[in-house]
Structures are given as structure tokens and as C-alpha cells.
Amino acid sequence: MDYLNAFLCGGILCAIGQILIDKTQLTPARILTGYVVAGVLLSALGLYQPLADWGGAGASVPLTGFGHLLAKGVQKAVSEQGWLGVLTGGLTAAAGGIAAAVVFGVVMAVLFRPKAKR
């Protein structure tokens, strides 16, 4: 059942993104940043954690999950360090994922040479 919930949750989030691409004039970059902001807002309202508990990886892997991770990191750092945590909490919580993205991006850039579009 966990696999089905993850599939449904992730599928619905992706379907919403595809509808936004098809039916609006929003650029993909604006939709992506909107998903991160939506994850932060839903987390701040206490609505994202129940979704993450139900959807598992279907809720934590998309960009809304990244926003939720940032919000949780800031919340934890503020409770431990005070206002300084606003500046450090999100990056501390997401450091592993950000570092992995940079390392894998460099590895792919070394292994594969980009070609100009024609």
C-alpha cells in the first residue's frame, strides 16, 4: 500500500505541474519555484507533514518535499539557535541533497560532452 500511496501522491503533484505547464503562461522555472514555496507554506501551516506521512517518497522527492525540508530545517534551527537559525537552518537541513546534486552534476559534465542544439 505504501508504494501505491507514493505513486498516487507523486503522480498527483506531477499532474498538477503538467496542467500548469499546459494551461498557463507560467514558465517551468516559475512552476518549480512555486512548488518549493508551496512546500514551505504547507509545512508552515502543518499540512505537509500528514501528506508526507501518507505519500512517503511521493511527497518527499518532488520539489514540494524540498520546500518542506527547508521549512523543517529552519524551524529546528530557530528552536535551537534563535534567530540565527533563520539563516542557517534550511541550508543545514538540505546540505546533503545540495552537495549530491553538485557532485553528480560535475561527474556528468566530465563524463558527457554537451553538444550545441541545431
Side-chain angles (χ1 to χ4, degrees), residues 3-60:
Y3 293 117
L4 180 62
N5 291 348
F7 177 78
L8 289 173
C9 184
I12 289 169
L13 289 171
C14 291
I16 291 168
Q18 188 64 49
I19 290 168
L20 289 172
I21 289 172
D22 292 343
K23 301 292 183 186
T24 68
Q25 295 296 319
L26 294 171
T27 63
R30 288 188 176 172
I31 293 170
L32 294 175
T33 55
Y35 264 42
V36 173
V37 171
V40 170
L41 291 175
L42 290 172
S43 181
L45 296 172
L47 301 174
Y48 204 82
Q49 189 60 49
L51 178 67
D53 292 341
W54 175 78
S60 63

Side-chain angles (χ1 to χ4, degrees), residues 79-101:
S79 68
E80 293 174 356
Q81 303 170 356
W83 284 102
L84 182 62
V86 171
L87 302 173
T88 62
L91 289 177
T92 302
I98 293 170

